[in-house]
Amino acid sequence: MDRKEALLEVFRLIDSSNDGYLDIEELKALASDATTQGKLAEAQETISWLDLNGDMQVSAEEFVEVWLFVTSGTDDQEFEQFMDDMKVHVGGTISREVMLKRVFNGLDRDHSGFIEMHELKTLVGGVAPAESVERAQGTLRMFDTNQDSKVSMDEFLSVFGFLVQDMGDAEFRVFISNLAEKGFEALYEGDYRHPHACRAWLEAEVLPTLKQGLLELVKEVEKDALDLATGLPWDEGEHMPRGWRPFSPLRWLSEWVLNAAMGGKQRTTEQGADGEGGEGQGLVPVKNLEAMSREEKVVYLFNQIDVNGSGSIPSSHLISMAELIFADGFGGVRDARSTIIEPVLASLGVSPVDGTVDLEQFQVAIAQMTSNLSDSEFDEAARIVAAQRDWRYCRSRSDKFRYLFHSLDLDHSGSLNFQELKLLAQRMDPDTSEETVSATLEYMDRDNTESVSVEEFVEAMTVLLAHVDSETELDDMVQRMLHMRGGVDPANEVEPAPLAAFVRALRTHLVAAQLPTSTVMDKLTGRQPIVLLDVRPEEERQVSVMPGAIPVTLQPAPAATWGYALAGGPGSAATRIREALATASAAAQPSAQPPVVAAYCSTGELGGVAALLLSEAMRITVYNICGGIINYYNQGGYVIRVSEGKQVQALHPGSNQQRAFITRPNNYR
């Protein structure tokens, strides 16, 4: 901001006569005293310290010189706010954008230019820690349009500009006052109203669906009560059948609304003809591929490819899919590209090079291309295509390698580049050099395009893993390679920012399977089976641990790949963990997810090492809790003191340097 020009703008607002000077009458108009004598006294006092040459009037140069001196100790943000206040005082106005900017600067407590998670948790305060975290994360998702885990000025203005667009000036001033005073908590108050456009959409689209869902829920509750009263769920009148669980109205309603919102057929209250109720009584299970009609299979395959939900896919993806279907002369087709694929695309007016295909075109194309296939042949073709992105349908090794390929193809380009191959190589061997990755790329890249196609990848993996005789061992190897994939880095959830940066720099961060803290908290609160392994030193465990954690000790081993080994050998640790897994599985509800094993230390440094060592020893995936127990504690997770068996607000930081990573109140000294 040009301070001189800003001051001249205020000067011109006061200079009502436009003569380039401020006289006694113009300054009297600004006086706060209502009496004539008071106004005169204030005006004379103002002139006395603005009038540098004693001519009883204030020139623009004098006005600017004095105020530049007065504001010389302010930063730009403070000066801008001072100017806004002066404009209001002299009869000017402040735009809504300026007022929102002032609120943003007030909420940006560390003056970083962003509102970050640690500030959001404070700004939605006044509630329990866990709820603060939940609200902060929800608020961040609302504002963080570029998904960089913080709210910029532009994002703040964009969202609030939309929220206040229907407000009158008086309502806007009240809202701004509440926002400045209470922070984002103002969004959760009962008197907040959505903008008109949002309310109209809610009334037209959401309320009718929710109303219908509630009516269906009433029917289902009544049916469940009647079934229980008549004894229908009991097995021959003696006991509940295996897998039975009580009816959950909230679970049923959430499933119904979710399915309706996604455009699927609404779930009915009827069970299948065989009497099975799917996942739980009253729920019809989601269809497997085998249960879908031919038309439903085509829609399912399109949605698999359309990962972004854009409604269209590149024509090259359709071509690759068709070539896979007719590979090796399937269905008696030879040279599928020239005899079937290209003629069909030409009839649709779609370019095979850079064209796109929407769902309707996709349906027409697949119908024409597969018209000569029998139902059983089409079903097998659909399974092979679906297996590329759904592990449930993988049968052959080629299926599994294609699935691995598409999981590693993070940019969905249809080929693997150097960086994607590097991640795979590091997952298999953490000490892999870039020279080795380059050699691997050269080996796989048979057509010299500097990338690896799915056919090249499948061929190379078939040769490289030909020595693995057991399909179980092969499945485990593929699954362990998969755990480094994913578009979202779990470190994005880690707070504060210095801890997140520390975590990303760990050498195990990319190669160990990472479990976000939010997933851990969901499993603990939802009573889903999870086995927690505390790999910290004993003195740290004595202060506090995560609930139910069992200790696993690492000992230095300089000659080992990761510099550590499992104390007592891998067999001893594996035995204890398998016992804990058995206990967790036995205690879980029949509908619970498979148990998860996750190791943690203070920050993830040793947790990542333990995860890799135990995964190798047990031939299962053992996760590292990203950010360690410090991030879990910062996010509102509760810890207990083993000796007392009760919850405490104390956490050992692991080292003096790591004390700064803990942002929650900590009673450990």
CSV table of all heavy atoms in Angstrom, one decimal, residues 324-372:
chain,number,residue,atom,x,y,z
A,324,LEU,N,-8.0,-55.2,-24.1
A,324,LEU,CA,-7.9,-56.2,-23.0
A,324,LEU,C,-8.9,-57.3,-23.2
A,324,LEU,O,-8.7,-58.5,-23.0
A,324,LEU,CB,-8.0,-55.6,-21.7
A,324,LEU,CG,-8.0,-56.5,-20.4
A,324,LEU,CD1,-6.7,-57.3,-20.4
A,324,LEU,CD2,-8.2,-55.7,-19.2
A,325,ILE,N,-10.2,-56.9,-23.5
A,325,ILE,CA,-11.2,-57.9,-23.7
A,325,ILE,C,-10.9,-58.9,-24.8
A,325,ILE,O,-11.1,-60.1,-24.6
A,325,ILE,CB,-12.6,-57.2,-24.0
A,325,ILE,CG1,-13.1,-56.4,-22.8
A,325,ILE,CG2,-13.6,-58.2,-24.5
A,325,ILE,CD1,-14.3,-55.6,-23.1
A,326,PHE,N,-10.4,-58.4,-25.9
A,326,PHE,CA,-10.2,-59.3,-27.0
A,326,PHE,C,-8.7,-59.8,-27.2
A,326,PHE,O,-8.3,-60.2,-28.2
A,326,PHE,CB,-10.6,-58.6,-28.3
A,326,PHE,CG,-12.1,-58.2,-28.4
A,326,PHE,CD1,-12.5,-56.9,-28.3
A,326,PHE,CD2,-13.0,-59.3,-28.5
A,326,PHE,CE1,-13.8,-56.6,-28.3
A,326,PHE,CE2,-14.4,-59.0,-28.5
A,326,PHE,CZ,-14.8,-57.7,-28.4
A,327,ALA,N,-8.0,-59.7,-26.1
A,327,ALA,CA,-6.6,-60.2,-26.1
A,327,ALA,C,-6.6,-61.7,-26.4
A,327,ALA,O,-7.5,-62.4,-25.9
A,327,ALA,CB,-5.9,-59.8,-24.8
A,328,ASP,N,-5.5,-62.1,-27.0
A,328,ASP,CA,-5.3,-63.5,-27.3
A,328,ASP,C,-6.5,-64.1,-28.1
A,328,ASP,O,-6.9,-65.3,-27.9
A,328,ASP,CB,-5.1,-64.3,-26.0
A,328,ASP,CG,-3.9,-63.8,-25.3
A,328,ASP,OD1,-2.9,-63.4,-25.9
A,328,ASP,OD2,-3.9,-63.7,-24.0
A,329,GLY,N,-7.2,-63.3,-28.9
A,329,GLY,CA,-8.3,-63.9,-29.7
A,329,GLY,C,-9.5,-64.2,-29.0
A,329,GLY,O,-10.3,-65.1,-29.5
A,330,PHE,N,-9.8,-63.6,-27.8
A,330,PHE,CA,-11.0,-63.9,-27.1
A,330,PHE,C,-12.2,-63.7,-27.9
A,330,PHE,O,-12.3,-62.7,-28.6
A,330,PHE,CB,-11.0,-63.0,-25.8
A,330,PHE,CG,-12.2,-63.3,-24.9
A,330,PHE,CD1,-12.1,-64.4,-24.0
A,330,PHE,CD2,-13.3,-62.5,-24.9
A,330,PHE,CE1,-13.1,-64.7,-23.2
A,330,PHE,CE2,-14.4,-62.8,-24.0
A,330,PHE,CZ,-14.3,-63.9,-23.2
A,331,GLY,N,-13.2,-64.6,-27.8
A,331,GLY,CA,-14.4,-64.5,-28.6
A,331,GLY,C,-14.2,-64.7,-30.1
A,331,GLY,O,-15.1,-64.4,-30.9
A,332,GLY,N,-13.1,-65.3,-30.4
A,332,GLY,CA,-12.8,-65.6,-31.8
A,332,GLY,C,-12.4,-64.3,-32.7
A,332,GLY,O,-12.5,-64.4,-33.9
A,333,VAL,N,-12.1,-63.2,-32.0
A,333,VAL,CA,-11.8,-62.0,-32.7
A,333,VAL,C,-10.3,-61.9,-32.9
A,333,VAL,O,-9.5,-62.0,-31.9
A,333,VAL,CB,-12.3,-60.7,-31.8
A,333,VAL,CG1,-11.9,-59.5,-32.5
A,333,VAL,CG2,-13.8,-60.8,-31.7
A,334,ARG,N,-9.9,-61.5,-34.1
A,334,ARG,CA,-8.5,-61.3,-34.4
A,334,ARG,C,-8.3,-59.8,-34.9
A,334,ARG,O,-9.2,-59.3,-35.5
A,334,ARG,CB,-8.0,-62.2,-35.6
A,334,ARG,CG,-8.2,-63.7,-35.3
A,334,ARG,CD,-7.2,-64.1,-34.2
A,334,ARG,NE,-7.4,-65.5,-33.8
A,334,ARG,CZ,-6.7,-66.2,-32.8
A,334,ARG,NH1,-5.8,-65.5,-32.2
A,334,ARG,NH2,-6.9,-67.4,-32.6
A,335,ASP,N,-7.2,-59.2,-34.5
A,335,ASP,CA,-7.0,-57.8,-34.8
A,335,ASP,C,-8.1,-57.0,-34.5
A,335,ASP,O,-8.7,-56.3,-35.3
A,335,ASP,CB,-6.6,-57.7,-36.3
A,335,ASP,CG,-6.1,-56.3,-36.6
A,335,ASP,OD1,-5.7,-55.6,-35.7
A,335,ASP,OD2,-6.0,-56.0,-37.8
A,336,ALA,N,-8.5,-56.9,-33.2
A,336,ALA,CA,-9.7,-56.2,-32.7
A,336,ALA,C,-9.6,-54.8,-33.0
A,336,ALA,O,-10.7,-54.1,-33.2
A,336,ALA,CB,-9.8,-56.5,-31.2
A,337,ARG,N,-8.4,-54.2,-33.0
A,337,ARG,CA,-8.4,-52.7,-33.2
A,337,ARG,C,-8.9,-52.3,-34.6
A,337,ARG,O,-9.7,-51.4,-34.7
A,337,ARG,CB,-6.9,-52.2,-33.0
A,337,ARG,CG,-6.8,-50.7,-33.1
A,337,ARG,CD,-5.5,-50.2,-32.6
A,337,ARG,NE,-5.5,-48.8,-32.5
A,337,ARG,CZ,-5.2,-48.1,-31.4
A,337,ARG,NH1,-5.0,-48.7,-30.3
A,337,ARG,NH2,-5.3,-46.8,-31.4
A,338,SER,N,-8.5,-53.0,-35.6
A,338,SER,CA,-8.9,-52.6,-37.0
A,338,SER,C,-10.3,-53.1,-37.3
A,338,SER,O,-11.0,-52.5,-38.1
A,338,SER,CB,-7.9,-53.0,-38.0
A,338,SER,OG,-7.7,-54.5,-38.0
A,339,THR,N,-10.6,-54.3,-36.8
A,339,THR,CA,-11.9,-54.9,-37.2
A,339,THR,C,-13.1,-54.5,-36.4
A,339,THR,O,-14.2,-54.5,-36.8
A,339,THR,CB,-11.8,-56.5,-37.1
A,339,THR,OG1,-11.5,-56.8,-35.8
A,339,THR,CG2,-10.7,-57.0,-38.1
A,340,ILE,N,-12.9,-54.1,-35.1
A,340,ILE,CA,-14.0,-53.7,-34.2
A,340,ILE,C,-13.8,-52.3,-33.6
A,340,ILE,O,-14.7,-51.5,-33.8
A,340,ILE,CB,-14.1,-54.8,-33.1
A,340,ILE,CG1,-14.5,-56.1,-33.6
A,340,ILE,CG2,-15.1,-54.3,-32.0
A,340,ILE,CD1,-14.7,-57.2,-32.6
A,341,ILE,N,-12.7,-52.1,-33.0
A,341,ILE,CA,-12.6,-50.8,-32.2
A,341,ILE,C,-12.6,-49.6,-33.0
A,341,ILE,O,-13.4,-48.7,-32.8
A,341,ILE,CB,-11.2,-50.9,-31.4
A,341,ILE,CG1,-11.2,-52.1,-30.4
A,341,ILE,CG2,-11.1,-49.6,-30.6
A,341,ILE,CD1,-9.9,-52.3,-29.7
A,342,GLU,N,-11.8,-49.5,-34.0
A,342,GLU,CA,-11.7,-48.3,-34.8
A,342,GLU,C,-13.0,-48.0,-35.6
A,342,GLU,O,-13.5,-46.9,-35.7
A,342,GLU,CB,-10.5,-48.3,-35.8
A,342,GLU,CG,-9.2,-48.2,-35.0
A,342,GLU,CD,-8.0,-48.2,-36.0
A,342,GLU,OE1,-8.2,-48.5,-37.2
A,342,GLU,OE2,-6.9,-48.0,-35.5
A,343,PRO,N,-13.7,-49.1,-36.2
A,343,PRO,CA,-15.0,-48.8,-36.9
A,343,PRO,C,-16.0,-48.3,-35.9
A,343,PRO,O,-16.8,-47.4,-36.3
A,343,PRO,CB,-15.3,-50.2,-37.5
A,343,PRO,CG,-14.0,-50.9,-37.7
A,343,PRO,CD,-13.2,-50.4,-36.5
A,344,VAL,N,-16.1,-48.8,-34.7
A,344,VAL,CA,-17.1,-48.4,-33.8
A,344,VAL,C,-16.8,-46.9,-33.4
A,344,VAL,O,-17.8,-46.1,-33.3
A,344,VAL,CB,-17.1,-49.3,-32.5
A,344,VAL,CG1,-18.0,-48.6,-31.4
A,344,VAL,CG2,-17.6,-50.7,-32.8
A,345,LEU,N,-15.6,-46.6,-33.1
A,345,LEU,CA,-15.3,-45.2,-32.7
A,345,LEU,C,-15.6,-44.2,-33.9
A,345,LEU,O,-16.1,-43.1,-33.7
A,345,LEU,CB,-13.8,-45.0,-32.4
A,345,LEU,CG,-13.4,-45.7,-31.0
A,345,LEU,CD1,-11.9,-45.5,-30.8
A,345,LEU,CD2,-14.1,-45.1,-29.9
A,346,ALA,N,-15.3,-44.7,-35.1
A,346,ALA,CA,-15.6,-43.9,-36.3
A,346,ALA,C,-17.1,-43.6,-36.4
A,346,ALA,O,-17.6,-42.5,-36.8
A,346,ALA,CB,-15.1,-44.5,-37.5
A,347,SER,N,-17.9,-44.7,-36.1
A,347,SER,CA,-19.4,-44.5,-36.2
A,347,SER,C,-19.9,-43.5,-35.2
A,347,SER,O,-21.0,-42.9,-35.4
A,347,SER,CB,-20.0,-45.9,-36.1
A,347,SER,OG,-19.9,-46.3,-34.7
A,348,LEU,N,-19.2,-43.4,-34.1
A,348,LEU,CA,-19.6,-42.4,-33.0
A,348,LEU,C,-19.0,-41.1,-33.2
A,348,LEU,O,-19.3,-40.1,-32.5
A,348,LEU,CB,-19.2,-43.0,-31.7
A,348,LEU,CG,-19.9,-44.3,-31.2
A,348,LEU,CD1,-19.3,-44.8,-29.9
A,348,LEU,CD2,-21.4,-44.0,-31.0
A,349,GLY,N,-18.1,-40.9,-34.2
A,349,GLY,CA,-17.4,-39.7,-34.4
A,349,GLY,C,-16.4,-39.3,-33.4
A,349,GLY,O,-16.2,-38.1,-33.1
A,350,VAL,N,-15.8,-40.3,-32.8
A,350,VAL,CA,-14.8,-40.1,-31.7
A,350,VAL,C,-13.4,-40.4,-32.2
A,350,VAL,O,-13.1,-41.4,-32.8
A,350,VAL,CB,-15.1,-41.1,-30.5
A,350,VAL,CG1,-14.1,-41.0,-29.4
A,350,VAL,CG2,-16.5,-40.8,-29.9
A,351,SER,N,-12.5,-39.4,-31.9
A,351,SER,CA,-11.1,-39.6,-32.3
A,351,SER,C,-10.4,-40.6,-31.4
A,351,SER,O,-10.5,-40.6,-30.2
A,351,SER,CB,-10.4,-38.3,-32.2
A,351,SER,OG,-9.0,-38.5,-32.3
A,352,PRO,N,-9.7,-41.6,-32.0
A,352,PRO,CA,-9.0,-42.6,-31.1
A,352,PRO,C,-7.8,-42.0,-30.5
A,352,PRO,O,-7.2,-42.7,-29.6
A,352,PRO,CB,-8.7,-43.7,-32.2
A,352,PRO,CG,-8.6,-43.0,-33.5
A,352,PRO,CD,-9.6,-41.9,-33.4
A,353,VAL,N,-7.4,-40.8,-30.9
A,353,VAL,CA,-6.1,-40.3,-30.4
A,353,VAL,C,-6.4,-39.4,-29.2
A,353,VAL,O,-5.8,-39.6,-28.1
A,353,VAL,CB,-5.4,-39.5,-31.5
A,353,VAL,CG1,-4.1,-38.9,-30.9
A,353,VAL,CG2,-5.1,-40.4,-32.7
A,354,ASP,N,-7.2,-38.3,-29.4
A,354,ASP,CA,-7.4,-37.4,-28.3
A,354,ASP,C,-8.9,-37.1,-28.0
A,354,ASP,O,-9.2,-36.1,-27.5
A,354,ASP,CB,-6.7,-36.0,-28.6
A,354,ASP,CG,-7.2,-35.5,-30.0
A,354,ASP,OD1,-8.0,-36.1,-30.6
A,354,ASP,OD2,-6.7,-34.4,-30.4
A,355,GLY,N,-9.7,-38.1,-28.4
A,355,GLY,CA,-11.2,-37.9,-28.1
A,355,GLY,C,-11.6,-38.3,-26.7
A,355,GLY,O,-10.8,-38.8,-25.9
A,356,THR,N,-12.8,-37.9,-26.4
A,356,THR,CA,-13.4,-38.3,-25.1
A,356,THR,C,-14.7,-39.0,-25.3
A,356,THR,O,-15.4,-38.8,-26.4
A,356,THR,CB,-13.6,-37.1,-24.2
A,356,THR,OG1,-14.5,-36.2,-24.9
A,356,THR,CG2,-12.3,-36.4,-23.9
A,357,VAL,N,-15.1,-39.8,-24.4
A,357,VAL,CA,-16.4,-40.6,-24.5
A,357,VAL,C,-17.2,-40.4,-23.2
A,357,VAL,O,-16.7,-40.6,-22.1
A,357,VAL,CB,-16.0,-42.1,-24.7
A,357,VAL,CG1,-17.3,-42.9,-24.8
A,357,VAL,CG2,-15.1,-42.3,-25.9
A,358,ASP,N,-18.5,-40.0,-23.4
A,358,ASP,CA,-19.3,-39.9,-22.2
A,358,ASP,C,-20.0,-41.3,-21.9
A,358,ASP,O,-19.8,-42.3,-22.7
A,358,ASP,CB,-20.3,-38.8,-22.3
A,358,ASP,CG,-21.3,-39.0,-23.5
A,358,ASP,OD1,-21.4,-40.2,-24.0
A,358,ASP,OD2,-21.9,-38.0,-24.0
A,359,LEU,N,-20.8,-41.4,-20.9
A,359,LEU,CA,-21.4,-42.7,-20.5
A,359,LEU,C,-22.3,-43.2,-21.6
A,359,LEU,O,-22.2,-44.4,-21.9
A,359,LEU,CB,-22.2,-42.5,-19.2
A,359,LEU,CG,-23.0,-43.7,-18.8
A,359,LEU,CD1,-22.1,-44.9,-18.6
A,359,LEU,CD2,-23.8,-43.4,-17.5
A,360,GLU,N,-23.1,-42.4,-22.3
A,360,GLU,CA,-24.0,-42.9,-23.3
A,360,GLU,C,-23.2,-43.4,-24.5
A,360,GLU,O,-23.5,-44.5,-25.0
A,360,GLU,CB,-24.9,-41.7,-23.8
A,360,GLU,CG,-25.9,-42.2,-24.8
A,360,GLU,CD,-26.9,-41.1,-25.2
A,360,GLU,OE1,-26.8,-40.0,-24.6
A,360,GLU,OE2,-27.6,-41.3,-26.2
A,361,GLN,N,-22.1,-42.7,-24.9
A,361,GLN,CA,-21.3,-43.2,-26.0
A,361,GLN,C,-20.6,-44.5,-25.6
A,361,GLN,O,-20.4,-45.4,-26.4
A,361,GLN,CB,-20.3,-42.1,-26.4
A,361,GLN,CG,-20.9,-40.9,-27.0
A,361,GLN,CD,-19.8,-39.8,-27.2
A,361,GLN,OE1,-19.1,-39.5,-26.3
A,361,GLN,NE2,-19.8,-39.2,-28.4
A,362,PHE,N,-20.2,-44.6,-24.3
A,362,PHE,CA,-19.5,-45.7,-23.8
A,362,PHE,C,-20.4,-47.0,-23.9
A,362,PHE,O,-20.0,-48.0,-24.3
A,362,PHE,CB,-19.0,-45.5,-22.4
A,362,PHE,CG,-18.3,-46.6,-21.7
A,362,PHE,CD1,-16.9,-46.7,-21.9
A,362,PHE,CD2,-18.9,-47.5,-20.9
A,362,PHE,CE1,-16.2,-47.7,-21.3
A,362,PHE,CE2,-18.2,-48.6,-20.3
A,362,PHE,CZ,-16.8,-48.6,-20.5
A,363,GLN,N,-21.7,-46.8,-23.5
A,363,GLN,CA,-22.6,-47.9,-23.5
A,363,GLN,C,-22.9,-48.3,-24.9
A,363,GLN,O,-22.9,-49.6,-25.2
A,363,GLN,CB,-23.9,-47.4,-22.9
A,363,GLN,CG,-23.9,-47.2,-21.4
A,363,GLN,CD,-25.1,-46.5,-20.8
A,363,GLN,OE1,-25.6,-45.5,-21.3
A,363,GLN,NE2,-25.6,-47.1,-19.7
A,364,VAL,N,-23.0,-47.4,-25.9
A,364,VAL,CA,-23.2,-47.8,-27.3
A,364,VAL,C,-22.0,-48.5,-27.8
A,364,VAL,O,-22.1,-49.5,-28.5
A,364,VAL,CB,-23.5,-46.5,-28.1
A,364,VAL,CG1,-23.6,-46.9,-29.6
A,364,VAL,CG2,-24.8,-45.9,-27.7
A,365,ALA,N,-20.8,-48.0,-27.5
A,365,ALA,CA,-19.6,-48.6,-28.0
A,365,ALA,C,-19.4,-50.0,-27.5
A,365,ALA,O,-19.1,-50.9,-28.3
A,365,ALA,CB,-18.4,-47.7,-27.6
A,366,ILE,N,-19.6,-50.2,-26.2
A,366,ILE,CA,-19.4,-51.6,-25.6
A,366,ILE,C,-20.5,-52.5,-26.2
A,366,ILE,O,-20.2,-53.7,-26.5
A,366,ILE,CB,-19.5,-51.5,-24.1
A,366,ILE,CG1,-18.3,-50.7,-23.6
A,366,ILE,CG2,-19.5,-52.9,-23.5
A,366,ILE,CD1,-16.9,-51.3,-23.9
A,367,ALA,N,-21.7,-52.0,-26.3
A,367,ALA,CA,-22.8,-52.9,-26.9
A,367,ALA,C,-22.4,-53.4,-28.3
A,367,ALA,O,-22.6,-54.5,-28.6
A,367,ALA,CB,-24.1,-52.1,-26.9
A,368,GLN,N,-21.9,-52.4,-29.1
A,368,GLN,CA,-21.5,-52.8,-30.5
A,368,GLN,C,-20.3,-53.7,-30.5
A,368,GLN,O,-20.2,-54.7,-31.3
A,368,GLN,CB,-21.3,-51.6,-31.3
A,368,GLN,CG,-22.5,-50.7,-31.5
A,368,GLN,CD,-22.2,-49.5,-32.4
A,368,GLN,OE1,-21.1,-49.3,-32.8
A,368,GLN,NE2,-23.2,-48.6,-32.5
A,369,MET,N,-19.3,-53.4,-29.7
A,369,MET,CA,-18.1,-54.2,-29.7
A,369,MET,C,-18.3,-55.6,-29.2
A,369,MET,O,-17.6,-56.5,-29.6
A,369,MET,CB,-17.0,-53.5,-28.8
A,369,MET,CG,-16.5,-52.2,-29.4
A,369,MET,SD,-15.3,-51.4,-28.3
A,369,MET,CE,-14.9,-49.9,-29.1
A,370,THR,N,-19.2,-55.8,-28.3
A,370,THR,CA,-19.4,-57.1,-27.6
A,370,THR,C,-20.6,-57.8,-28.1
A,370,THR,O,-21.1,-58.8,-27.4
A,370,THR,CB,-19.4,-57.0,-26.1
A,370,THR,OG1,-20.5,-56.1,-25.7
A,370,THR,CG2,-18.1,-56.4,-25.6
A,371,SER,N,-21.2,-57.4,-29.1
A,371,SER,CA,-22.5,-57.9,-29.6
A,371,SER,C,-22.4,-59.4,-29.9
A,371,SER,O,-23.4,-60.1,-29.8
A,371,SER,CB,-23.1,-57.1,-30.8
A,371,SER,OG,-22.2,-57.2,-31.9
A,372,ASN,N,-21.3,-59.9,-30.3
A,372,ASN,CA,-21.1,-61.3,-30.7
A,372,ASN,C,-20.7,-62.2,-29.6
A,372,ASN,O,-20.5,-63.4,-29.8
A,372,ASN,CB,-20.0,-61.4,-31.8
A,372,ASN,CG,-20.5,-60.8,-33.2
A,372,ASN,OD1,-21.7,-60.8,-33.5
A,372,ASN,ND2,-19.6,-60.2,-33.9
